Amino acid sequence: DGGITQSPKYLFRKEGQNVTLSCEQNLNHDAMYWYRQDPGQGLRLIYYSQIVNDFQKGDIAEGYSVSREKKESFPLTVTSAQKNPTAFYLCASSIRRAGGPDEQYFGPGTRLTVT
Amino acid sequence: GDSVTQMEGPVTLSEEAFLTINCTYTATGYPSLFWYVQYPGEGLQLLLKATKADDKGSNKGFEATYRKETTSFHLEKGSVQVSDSAVYFCALAPGSEKLVFGKGTKLTVNP
């Protein structure tokens, strides 16, 4: 079955450590996205990528980094510079259309807790 | 800039009640509009979409009509079930590279 996988489902880290969240898709989508979700604040865009080897900052990129070396993969690193990293992280992908973005397909999410 | 405004939650209904979740938007041009649903602890799932004015999206008994004159895309369901309890997000694709999401509305349906 085609879809997006995120691993792990739950992740625990100590403050000051970098941590990398995995996102893989087998939908053959060009575009991929990372969102952060906090209670009552909806989704906030961290980074997105329209093609391999290219990505752009979203609304809250500070303290995060990404890479897009393969079409299927878009890992997110939460660095020690991120002030409040505890959150639910969602990865998404979409077909890239000339007229603008199509609907996005979401993974199951990773809940990161930093203590 | 482009934005989406959803009704504040939480919304609590009894089973078989009628549901309306309001969504209005601000955008230039002719954006596509979406409703997503998120069940507890899961990612978002596309519920329905509409790509042009007067289009009606529908799925699983939910409907929403793209009203350009009122810049609205309200979600409705005639008879909700306990299994519809979730958070619902309205979103728009304004023609740029990103979707714009509302803050979400939490729905609880009691038996």
Side-chain angles (χ1 to χ4, degrees), chain A residues 14-72:
Chain A
K14 294 291 187 185
E15 196 173 317
Q17 294 179 334
N18 292 351
V19 58
T20 298
L21 282 61
S22 168
C23 178
E24 304 277 334
Q25 54 99 0
N26 60 3
L27 300 168
N28 199 33
H29 286 171
D30 292 302
M32 296 187 74
Y33 309 81
W34 272 107
Y35 294 91
R36 171 182 172 136
Q37 187 176 29
D38 296 285
Q41 294 199 42
L43 278 71
R44 292 186 288 172
L45 182 65
I46 305 172
Y47 269 98
Y48 63 103
S49 168
Q50 298 290 94
I51 56 173
V52 174
N53 293 321
D54 188 40
F55 48 82
Q56 287 77 41
K57 293 181 179 179
D59 302 317
I60 55 163
E62 185 175 350
Y64 299 98
S65 65
V66 293
S67 63
R68 187 85 187 277
E69 298 177 0
K70 299 186 299 182
K71 188 175 184 178
E72 310 81 48

Side-chain angles (χ1 to χ4, degrees), chain B residues 5-6 9 12 19 33 35-37 43 47 54 59 61 66 68 71 80 87 93 97 106-107 109-111:
Chain B
T5 302
Q6 287 182 238
T12 302
L19 169 71
L33 298 170
W35 275 103
Y36 283 84
V37 59
L47 183 59
D54 300 324
N59 186 24
Y66 189 159
K68 188 160 179 64
T71 61
V80 293
V87 179
E97 299 170 315
K106 183 176 182 180
L107 170 66
V109 180
N110 295 318

